[in-house]
Amino acid sequence: MGSLESKKGITMTISDRYAVFGQPIKHSKSPRIHRIFAEQTGQSLSYDAQEVPAKQFSAATDVFFAEGGKGLNCTVPLKELAWAYAGKKTARAELSKAVNTLTVQPDGSILSDNTDGCGLVSDLMINHGISLAGARILILGAGGASRGIIAPILEQSPQSLVIANRTIDKAVNLASEFHDKGRVSGCGFAALNKQQFDLILNATSASLSDSVPPLPEHLLAENGICYDLAYGNQPTPFVRWGIEHHAAKSLDGLGMLVEQAAEAFFIWRGVRPDTQAVIEVLNAERKASSPFETITTNKKYV
Ligand code: NDP
């Protein structure tokens, strides 16, 4: 925390500044999450959301850090630009080629990191008790989010990891970048016929257009689990797909959102917030805002 002497001689306290840049950004939950983290851990900081189009990313980021900003989250469509912006990259940022967290270093340089992958793995394993070791895992989509989650998943030693994408080449090329990290392959959706998976992760943005990729009927193994990285006040189309296909659990990405934020908060502040408490608050808020929820199932929607 810094301080500033005003003209009247009153000392004002200045909190460390953080922000999230993206477009669109209006509905981002990140400011709310980080403010709750700060309150929980007694940290004095500010965290705002700023609408930044891709064309203005570099200039807006220069200004943010020149004005003393300590750390920045970047979301759609800025993650690849943020990766290119930073002079220094963590190993997981280097692998993912798309980052969500920029941090000013003591020497003034900017370090980039990707906390999406560990956020997802924490949500799956810690919050939901899902074991990835030995599992047959399918990732739908080969965009920025998919890139960020492949290495952290492979680190958990699944039996196999398949990446399926609408544009087949992207899935094949992405998989080939991670061949030295585990059993991973890429294909199109049609090639999924006759395969079964214990865990299906939807990392496409299809939910945003209210659709689900074209998937074969028997894709999900018995007791299999579905997880949509997207989230909303209502179950996403893929969460509904999981329920309709008798998933043992059909989850959305709200927990991942909170966990990736917690990892960024830890990088910036050196303390780990209580993510469970925040997930409970956000879940209660969205349940309250969606009183006409129509899904009736004994399966789990979180
Ligand atoms: P990108 O734009 O980088 O990639 C989008 C992917 O979705 C591509 O593989 C694209 O295929 C595919 N796709 C888009 N529309 C369709 C469709 N109608 N049918 C089939 N495939 C489609 O997006 P991101 O990777 O950054 O984000 C993906 C999702 O993950 C978003 O919903 C985002 O909100 C979510 N996310 C959630 C996070 C969280 O914390 N919960 C963190 C990060 C992301 P193609 O290559 O053929 O165009």
Side-chain angles (χ1 to χ4, degrees):
M1 198 178 349
S3 65
L4 188 73
E5 187 100 351
S6 78
K7 280 180 190 159
K8 289 181 178 170
I10 302 163
T11 302
M12 297 182 295
T13 304
I14 305 168
S15 301
D16 288 341
R17 264 185 73 212
Y18 299 88
V20 58
F21 285 1
Q23 189 184 46
I25 202 69
K26 210 167 80 189
H27 299 293
S28 172
K29 292 184 191 293
S30 293
R32 175 127 173 76
I33 292 170
H34 279 277
R35 285 172 200 160
I36 303 176
F37 286 168
E39 211 170 289
Q40 264 185 4
T41 57
Q43 300 280 308
S44 176
L45 57 85
S46 69
Y47 188 109
D48 298 302
Q50 197 174 318
E51 179 103 6
V52 175
K55 275 188 188 160
Q56 288 166 19
F57 172 74
S58 185
T61 305
D62 284 349
V63 169
F64 177 77
F65 285 118
E67 288 181 351
K70 297 285 185 195
L72 196 60
N73 283 140
C74 301
T75 185
V76 178
L78 307 175
K79 289 183 181 180
E80 282 87 356
L81 292 172
W83 182 82
Y85 181 91
K88 293 181 181 169
K89 297 168 177 67
T90 62
R92 58 191 182 188
E94 199 64 72
L95 271 172
S96 65
K97 295 193 169 62
V99 299
N100 65 344
T101 305
L102 299 179
T103 309
V104 75
Q105 300 295 285
D107 65 1
S109 62
I110 306 297
L111 178 70
S112 74
D113 204 346
N114 184 319
T115 67
D116 283 339
C118 71
L120 171 70
V121 169
S122 294
D123 193 39
L124 288 168
M125 296 180 65
I126 300 171
N127 298 340
H128 297 293
I130 297 166
S131 172
L132 305 186
R136 295 163 295 173
I137 302 177
L138 170 64
I139 298 177
L140 305 171
S146 184
R147 238 177 205 296
I149 64 177
I150 295 168
I153 289 173
L154 289 173
E155 276 165 22
Q156 300 303 321
S157 307
Q159 186 187 115
S160 60
L161 178 61
V162 174
I163 304 162
N165 195 44
R166 183 173 59 182
T167 311
I168 300 172
D169 284 359
K170 272 173 72 179
V172 173
N173 294 339
L174 186 57
S176 70
E177 287 183 44
F178 292 86
H179 275 160
D180 60 335
K181 305 244 169 298
R183 267 192 76 191
V184 53
S185 60
C187 63
F189 297 129
L192 295 173
N193 225 347
K194 296 191 182 144
Q195 296 194 57
Q196 281 208 314
F197 297 91
D198 305 303
L199 174 62
I200 306 177
L201 301 160
N202 181 28
T204 73
S205 44
S207 282
L208 303 178
S209 56
D210 210 21
S211 62
V212 175
L215 301 174
E217 266 309 297
H218 303 290
L219 192 62
L220 191 64
E222 205 177 333
N223 291 319
I225 291 167
C226 290
Y227 189 108
D228 197 344
L229 273 62
Y231 52 87
N233 284 342
Q234 294 286 334
T236 66
F238 185 70
V239 167
R240 288 178 186 272
W241 186 93
I243 293 166
E244 285 158 14
H245 289 79
H246 311 291
K249 291 179 182 176
S250 198
L251 309 163
D252 79 3
L254 187 73
M256 173 184 176
L257 179 77
V258 174
E259 294 295 342
Q260 62 77 30
E263 186 69 15
F265 192 88
F266 177 70
I267 292 167
W268 293 335
R269 310 302 297 183
V271 279
R272 288 204 181 273
D274 175 2
T275 51
Q276 273 300 331
V278 181
I279 292 169
E280 276 168 28
V281 167
L282 296 182
N283 262 326
E285 282 176 1
R286 68 176 175 178
K287 272 175 192 148
S289 74
S290 308
F292 301 112
E293 174 59 70
T294 50
I295 284 191
T296 49
T297 175
N298 57 357
K299 308 295 181 194
K300 204 170 174 188
Y301 163 59
V302 177

